[in-house]
Amino acid sequence: MRIFTCSVFLLFAFHLSAQITPYTNKLSADILGIDVTLIDLESEESPIITTPPSSPVRTMAEWEELQSLVITWKSYPSILAEIVKAARLECEVIIVCETQTTVVNAKNTLTSAGVNWSSNVTFKVIPNTAPASEPGKSVWVRDYGPNCVYKNDVDSLYFVDWIYNRKRPNDDLVPQKLGEMLNIPVYATTIAPYDLVNTGGNFMSDGLGLGFASKLILNNNDQIINGDTFYPNDVFGMSNHNEAAIDGIMEEFMGIHTYAKMKVLPYDDIHHIDMHIKLLDEETLLVGQYPDSIADGPQIEANLQYILDNWTTSFGTPFKVIRIPMPPDAAGNYPDSNGKYRTYANAVFVNKSVLVPTYETQYDTTALRIWKETLPGYNIVPINCESMIAASGAVHCITKEIGVQNPLLIVHQPLPCQMSGMTEYPVFATLRHVSNIGSAKVFYTTDLSTPWQESPMFFQTGDSTHLWMGNIPQQADGSTVYYYIEATANSGKVLTRPLPAPAAYWKFCVNMPSDVTEVPVAEILEIYPNPSSGITVIPIKINQSVKGTIQVINALGQEVTTVFSGNIPAGNTNYFLNASTLPSGTYVVQMMTSNQILSKKLIVKR
């Protein structure tokens, strides 16, 4: 063997006793990249495993801890540079390049953008090996990059590689090469009966076995239509599976035991769900919202209702829904009028940061505020994606997460409001690590300007679900209690949930008397932006679900438009008004329920 000395990674050959498909692997410094320590495995073969893992597996949720974020250096270099600038502060960034010339170009662009690529950035050269007639690398690594699963929930990290639903063999090679680079086994759904065509932008998981997709997954695996209706002349793979077979492959390779599939959207040509919906945690869905009857709005609403009617969270409770406006393009057009498919849902978690696509200040301000309010404590990083959104992609589409080895898993359903008079508030969490959990604590406070107090958590002896419990002591009526969980593994690893804690936290209120029937009490919170000229957020807070109507009234007392009419759910809900449709002037936003009429002033400036 010849040994090349560089820095960062050591590549070992791994041998796995499963069915394998051999790939000739003649490595060189050029193939594996200039910033990699490697052993040349000349004439050896890299195993790609084409049978399911022998042990149960769990697909990683995107908000879990990452060791790396992968991008492919191809199109949109200025956007890629901004992603690297933000992500390298949270984890290693692996930049896939076609040639050493690509590496040089990437470094020059990063330098010009003020990015220190010499730290926490690794360049991985994967040359094009397919015939010249086949396309080279594309920027859309979300779709063809490796999918992370964990053996027995928290043990060994595996990659799962689907057949990419584009005929781009140079892209489809990436998971194998990254597996070799990081010494991570690669399980490929390429050989019958496990051949499966899929794409990363059309998949998300809660990390507990629940997965979501559009029905594109069904069409891509139907030989009758997959070369005609969807991606004509560009589909790779000869799979022909019905929905039950697809579900079986996803369960065996990825641990997805519940796989919800929504109708495709009429105006989203790629039919990837990451353009309009995103899981923020195990029970919260961020869903794009269009003005009434605009573009994909009706189908998005129908899909959301379909999810809420037919599935619950892995905790067995209804999903919480956060709405975020889908803005028009710079000309004021939506996709149904040939407008660009701008979206704020196409974001990516990178440990304690979230990279969010942006386009135009008048709309970005509202979207970023919703992200910050929804995920307090996370670093919300705007990435301007205007130059690429015409290609129906944004930040999530051009990034791919790689989870850490031996994760420390913390699963907790946040507490709802608690009744007055309770002497303590029990906090339950599932805590797991390959070395087992040594100790855990719940930290709490009612005043974020004061030090956090702590209370120990205890393993529930005999519980096979790795359940731990702690108690927050009684707090004064009317209090808001902020809290987070910290766990320490026997290996010494320490992790919090939420991940950015104590900057991030959960919270609950202590204001629900046990002996008094509640009366619905609603409030219109501060409308923003105000003054407004575009998408306007009307935040409503109410202590229990009630029927109501939200209207806009002009200075003459005339109804201008009805923003919403129907059931207003308990808690905080955002409703949206497109103020660009209103003449300049002063208006009143009015909310009416059976026992209240509330008003808030709104100024429109065109």
Side-chain angles (χ1 to χ4, degrees):
M1 288 187 180
R2 299 192 304 274
I3 298 179
F4 299 91
T5 303
C6 298
S7 63
V8 182
F9 290 103
L10 183 63
L11 176 68
F12 295 95
F14 54 87
H15 303 279
L16 300 165
S17 57
Q19 178 183 346
I20 64 173
T21 300
Y23 285 75
T24 300
N25 185 32
K26 201 168 185 178
L27 304 181
S28 69
D30 179 68
I31 290 177
L32 289 198
I34 58 175
D35 290 354
V36 181
T37 298
L38 59 107
I39 298 175
D40 183 16
L41 302 177
E42 188 168 3
S43 299
E44 294 190 16
E45 295 176 339
S46 297
I48 300 295
I49 309 150
T50 56
T51 54
S54 58
S55 299
V57 291
R58 179 185 67 87
T59 294
M60 181 188 77
E62 289 190 21
W63 53 81
E64 293 184 41
E65 189 183 8
L66 306 183
Q67 61 170 300
S68 305
L69 186 74
V70 180
I71 64 172
T72 298
W73 199 271
K74 187 65 176 180
S75 313
Y76 318 111
S78 62
I79 296 176
L80 294 174
E82 290 305 305
I83 290 172
V84 176
K85 179 185 288 187
R88 63 171 290 277
L89 302 178
E90 295 284 357
C91 66
E92 176 203 34
V93 178
I94 298 175
I95 302 178
V96 174
C97 300
E98 290 182 349
T99 66
Q100 293 290 354
T101 300
T102 310
V103 173
V104 173
N105 292 339
K107 288 183 175 181
N108 288 338
T109 300
L110 292 171
T111 299
S112 298
V115 181
N116 178 14
W117 50 261
S118 65
S119 174
N120 238 17
V121 178
T122 299
F123 298 86
K124 166 71 171 173
V125 177
I126 303 177
N128 292 333
T129 58
S133 60
E134 302 288 359
K137 297 286 184 300
S138 71
V139 74
W140 312 109
V141 71
R142 168 65 48 185
D143 295 330
Y144 58 78
N147 301 285
C148 293
V149 303
Y150 289 108
K151 171 185 174 182
N152 295 323
D153 291 343
V154 293
D155 292 359
S156 306
L157 173 62
Y158 297 157
F159 284 164
V160 174
D161 179 23
W162 305 314
I163 300 171
Y164 184 21
N165 75 342
R166 297 287 202 276
K167 193 174 182 181
R168 295 176 185 158
N170 287 302
D171 284 344
D172 227 0
L173 185 65
V174 168
Q176 175 205 349
K177 292 301 181 182
L178 291 178
E180 294 167 357
M181 175 185 177
L182 300 172
N183 194 28
I184 296 173
V186 180
Y187 288 81
T189 61
T190 54
I191 304 297
Y194 303 113
D195 49 331
L196 180 73
V197 179
N198 207 349
T199 180
N202 191 40
F203 176 73
M204 67 180 181
S205 171
D206 70 344
L208 300 175
L210 172 61
F212 292 88
S214 78
K215 291 187 177 180
L216 171 68
I217 180 67
L218 305 182
N219 296 316
N220 276 174
N221 290 277
D222 186 336
Q223 285 184 8
I224 297 174
I225 66 172
N226 70 6
D228 179 30
T229 305
F230 287 82
Y231 309 121
N233 304 318
D234 203 24
V235 174
F236 180 73
M238 295 300 294
S239 65
N240 190 27
H241 298 301
N242 60 22
E243 185 170 4
I246 292 168
D247 291 351
I249 295 170
M250 289 294 289
E251 181 165 14
E252 290 192 76
F253 278 82
M254 303 194 67
I256 300 300
H257 55 71
T258 304
Y259 200 12
K261 307 171 193 73
M262 297 164 272
K263 287 186 177 180
V264 300
L265 304 182
Y267 298 99
D268 174 15
D269 292 336
I270 60 172
H271 307 301
H272 292 184
I273 61 171
D274 67 351
M275 293 298 286
H276 66 279
I277 189 169
K278 188 173 188 66
L279 270 170
L280 303 184
D281 55 35
E282 295 90 343
E283 60 178 1
T284 307
L285 289 165
L286 179 82
V287 184
Q289 185 173 39
Y290 282 104
D292 189 39
S293 300
I294 295 295
D296 282 331
Q299 190 60 59
I300 289 174
E301 300 308 312
N303 285 351
L304 175 59
Q305 195 59 51
Y306 175 64
I307 293 296
L308 298 179
D309 288 346
N310 291 279
W311 284 276
T312 61
T313 71
S314 291
F315 303 128
T317 53
F319 283 99
K320 300 175 182 177
V321 179
I322 304 294
R323 305 309 301 265
I324 195 162
M326 302 281 270
D329 65 15
N333 296 322
Y334 287 97
D336 55 350
S337 301
N338 297 316
K340 297 176 183 178
Y341 210 101
R342 286 177 168 180
T343 170
Y344 293 112
N346 197 267
V348 62
F349 283 90
V350 190
N351 289 334
K352 299 178 183 180
S353 294
V354 183
L355 280 52
V356 176
T358 57
Y359 313 95
E360 190 176 351
T361 301
Q362 65 169 314
Y363 305 115
D364 298 342
T365 301
T366 296
L368 293 172
R369 179 169 175 177
I370 291 171
W371 272 100
K372 291 175 182 177
E373 290 177 347
T374 304
L375 295 175
Y378 277 85
N379 179 30
I380 306 299
V381 182
I383 304 290
N384 192 309
C385 292
E386 181 62 22
S387 63
M388 71 178 295
I389 197 60
S392 296
V395 179
H396 191 255
C397 300
I398 58 176
T399 55
K400 193 75 170 183
E401 308 88 355
I402 296 180
V404 298
Q405 294 283 2
N406 301 324
L408 199 166
L409 182 65
I410 302 176
V411 179
H412 167 70
Q413 183 179 25
L415 295 177
C417 283
Q418 303 291 298
M419 292 183 179
S420 300
M422 293 181 65
T423 58
E424 55 190 14
Y425 316 110
V427 177
F428 294 92
T430 296
L431 308 178
R432 297 200 63 184
H433 188 263
V434 67
S435 71
N436 293 323
I437 302 298
S439 63
K441 302 173 183 177
V442 54
F443 288 82
Y444 63 92
T445 184
T446 57
D447 184 348
L448 291 172
S449 66
T450 63
W452 293 83
Q453 301 177 69
E454 64 181 70
S455 180
M457 299 184 73
F458 299 96
F459 176 65
Q460 303 304 288
T461 304
D463 185 86
S464 61
T465 61
H466 305 271
L467 189 67
W468 289 63
M469 187 190 81
N471 288 300
I472 297 174
Q474 182 179 22
Q475 304 296 316
D477 287 355
S479 298
T480 297
V481 182
Y482 308 91
Y483 73 103
Y484 66 91
I485 293 170
E486 178 187 274
T488 302
N490 287 331
S491 66
K493 180 171 184 173
V494 180
L495 199 72
T496 60
R497 182 88 192 274
L499 197 58
Y505 44 78
W506 297 295
K507 63 180 180 180
F508 63 88
C509 55
V510 183
N511 63 355
M512 296 175 62
S514 58
D515 56 348
V516 177
T517 301
E518 272 194 293
V519 175
V521 177
E523 180 181 3
I524 303 177
L525 304 179
E526 289 302 318
I527 298 171
Y528 61 92
N530 193 6
S532 178
S533 60
I535 298 297
T536 309
V537 181
I538 303 171
I540 301 296
K541 179 180 180 180
I542 191 165
N543 66 338
Q544 71 177 45
S545 178
V546 68
K547 288 184 178 181
T549 302
I550 303 170
Q551 299 174 324
V552 177
I553 311 297
N554 65 18
L556 299 177
Q558 301 167 324
E559 177 189 340
V560 175
T561 184
T562 296
V563 177
F564 177 81
S565 182
N567 193 61
I568 299 172
N572 291 57
T573 306
N574 289 335
Y575 295 90
F576 299 98
L577 166 72
N578 187 357
S580 66
T581 63
L582 302 178
S584 296
T586 300
Y587 297 83
V588 172
V589 175
Q590 181 174 277
M591 174 182 171
M592 294 182 291
T593 69
S594 59
N595 68 327
Q596 279 186 294
I597 299 179
L598 305 171
S599 300
K600 208 83 166 182
K601 185 168 72 173
L602 169 66
I603 297 174
V604 174
K605 288 186 177 180
R606 299 292 300 278

